[in-house]
Amino acid sequence: MKKIIQISLFALLFFVATNNVLAQKVITNDPDAQLKETLYKKYKKEVQSYDKKDFDALFFEFFKKQKDKSLTLTQEEFYTYTIKIAIYSEKLGLLYKDQKEEAQRTKQEWFNKSYSDYLNSKK
């Protein structure tokens, strides 16, 4: 009986310790992470309903605006485009299981785009 209590107590302590370690938030050094997460939540359902034609229009509109030297996107506009493209990449990973890793990598690349890098490219 004493052994069962010891094992149960050990298991409980192990569970509590493991839960605390795994529940910690990941700290990012991206100053725009909060904005990106907000936009991700805002547009996720909308973008998941996109078909190929909608995505192509979004993608080409973004590159057209990005290359236009007389136009500078605001921070929110820039991240709206990049996050929408990231969400669509995620959707492709869900649709085509054999391309899941590539879709995740592409999604992460779009999430990692930086507004400051965009502004530097405009100079």
Side-chain angles (χ1 to χ4, degrees):
M1 182 70 173
K2 190 174 184 180
K3 281 272 193 205
I4 294 173
I5 293 173
Q6 287 176 339
I7 292 172
S8 298
L9 182 61
F10 177 75
L12 178 66
L13 290 174
F14 181 75
F15 174 74
V16 169
T18 305
N19 192 26
N20 285 339
V21 170
L22 296 177
Q24 293 181 3
K25 290 189 175 202
V26 176
I27 298 173
T28 179
N29 56 358
D30 184 2
D32 302 325
Q34 183 63 39
L35 175 60
K36 291 178 183 180
E37 283 300 318
T38 303
L39 291 172
Y40 179 81
K41 290 175 185 173
K42 180 178 180 180
Y43 292 112
K44 185 171 182 176
K45 288 188 188 258
E46 175 188 328
V47 173
Q48 286 180 339
S49 68
Y50 280 11
D51 61 6
K52 180 78 169 132
K53 184 178 176 183
D54 294 330
F55 174 72
D56 286 346
L58 171 77
F59 193 77
F60 290 121
E61 180 183 349
F62 173 63
F63 276 100
K64 182 179 170 186
K65 287 184 177 183
Q66 188 178 13
K67 296 297 180 192
D68 187 352
K69 295 291 183 186
S70 64
L71 176 71
T72 302
L73 297 171
T74 65
Q75 185 178 24
E76 188 166 340
E77 289 173 328
F78 176 79
Y79 285 130
T80 297
Y81 282 113
T82 58
I83 297 303
K84 283 183 174 182
I85 294 169
I87 294 168
Y88 192 81
S89 297
E90 180 181 46
K91 174 187 173 180
L92 291 178
L94 295 172
L95 290 174
Y96 305 105
K97 300 294 184 195
D98 59 327
Q99 297 178 7
K100 188 174 185 174
E101 291 173 12
E102 179 64 29
Q104 277 300 112
R105 189 170 34 259
T106 304
K107 174 190 171 189
Q108 198 58 48
E109 286 175 16
W110 282 101
F111 248 93
N112 291 340
K113 297 275 185 190
S114 168
Y115 185 68
S116 59
D117 291 343
Y118 163 72
L119 289 177
N120 288 335
S121 72
K122 286 293 198 174
K123 293 179 181 179

